[in-house]
Amino acid sequence: MSAPLDQLAADVAAFTGSELPRVLDGEAALLPDASVGDEPPYLVGFIGGKDVGKTSLANAIAGLELSRPIGHGEGTNRVIAWCHRAAEPTVRPLLETDAANAHTLSVHEHDPLLRQVLVDLPDIDSKYADHVELTKRMLRHMLFPLWVQSVEKYADQAPQKLLAAVAEGNDPANFVFVLNKADQLVDREGLEAAGELAADYAQRLQRLLDLPEPPDVFLVSAQRPDSYDLPRLREMLGTQKSVADVKRSRSLADQRRATSVLAWVDEQDLPAIAAKAERVREHADDLLAEEVVGPVTERALPMWLDDAATRARIAEPAVARRVRRWPLVNLIDAGATPLIALIRRNLSTHGGHVPDLDADGRPLADKLRASFAVLHEAHTEIGPLYRSQKLWEHNAADLAVADLRRRLSATTETVRNDLRNQKPGGSLLWPFRWLLTLGALLWFPILQPITEVLLRSTDPLSLTQWKEIALLAVSVISSEHLLQSAGFLAIYFVILWGTLRLTHTAAVMRRLSKTDTGLAPAIIHWARDLLSPLDRRSEQARSLLDRAGQLR
């Protein structure tokens, strides 16, 4: 079995909660990384129920007593293997790993059976569960299973069920099917009846394994080793398979496993699961947009941003920095700082911080909890996906809303810091700042009256007029005139200060409303994070479908 296919099956089982396919219970049906005389050994397993004559048949095929038949009690209760001495270093670790203390290994030096490892397995219909489990563990290594049934038990269901399961991981072309104890039926009803029974067994196997034609069934008798099909069976098993034959059989087994795993994947109905996951995601998205995100972004958030305390708190650092770059106006701003702070603290109950967000007059946590309660009731997937964050319960919903408030606070702080640390731009604007401040200070009380007199005269100035202009210049810088102009200048600079604050505050709030760094995207990202378990499920389903398609 390929690693990608193994991983796909494991991921599908984890995703759907299904058990792994039976074919993955074991490894490849061939001894791994082993060779005898530069050619790999292979296992021939004798598999069957109690009293079908597996041990006697193994002895008859080997031509030696592999083991003493057990015709009473619990039957074959351990793995009995017979291998050539050259294969012992490979076979013994396998038995010690999968059969532990329940195995017997007999070593021979019969060269015709150099690479064939004959293995007699516990009865597959045993009432002892550990016997059956031991057989299942060993079956995974049987590239060439030899299925043994007796003529009186050939229609038993238990062996057929196990055969169907094993056939999911190995190609039936590698199997050998044997009907033992033919002598009993022949002595009782004749050879023709035995042939009809073998044909019926072959047809049952064809239906069970979905074969294009009935397989070859060997009709044998361990008590008469020279009769019926036993000589032919002995010759077939005694002929060592070539490396190419073993590789071909291994390839057939791997293809069968792959087909079985992909068939199991198809049974999980991933397309339907993916489609349903997408529908649940869309339902959740629509519900949260209508019940939670929409009311907050369209009503609760604008009300908060329109609050004077909010605007002042968010914009203050950047506005103060910009205003204090203006000569004279910076003196007004510095003097007004305590007053600004006092006003800001008293403008609203939340002092500009993120308030308890309401959606349509209801606490946001209640709206969120009600939305997920609807989803939890409508879709069974919601419960397992939100096991660690049950948003249909009060505590989880309250924590989620608290997280949203933290995100909004973090976003506003980020914008404030960015604006406060932003490098001052507009270096070419400094003449305008000086013109509108120090220029105004000189223009209105001094330069404006003198310029006005000069502009009214159309003729060349006489000496008398120059004296009048000189007297005017002296009067405009007199204390009386300056005191008269001070009130106007105060009003001018206050208006300029207020205008600068309002324009800079508006610029900061526009920055906060940007789609990429504003508060509305923060709310949308929060809602997406709440739905991330549904996103992951939908993405996992699509990914599994793609991987299955590629492997198929």
Side-chain angles (χ1 to χ4, degrees), residues 135-153:
T135 296
K136 289 181 178 179
R137 285 202 306 272
M138 291 301 301
L139 275 174
R140 62 186 184 175
H141 300 292
M142 302 298 155
L143 182 56
F144 300 104
L146 195 149
W147 288 86
V148 184
Q149 290 287 17
S150 63
V151 292
E152 68 269 19
K153 299 179 69 173

Side-chain angles (χ1 to χ4, degrees), residues 275-289:
K276 186 174 182 181
E278 191 62 31
R279 289 196 300 272
V280 174
R281 175 64 176 81
E282 291 176 357
H283 183 198
D285 195 29
D286 293 342
L287 190 60
L288 254 64

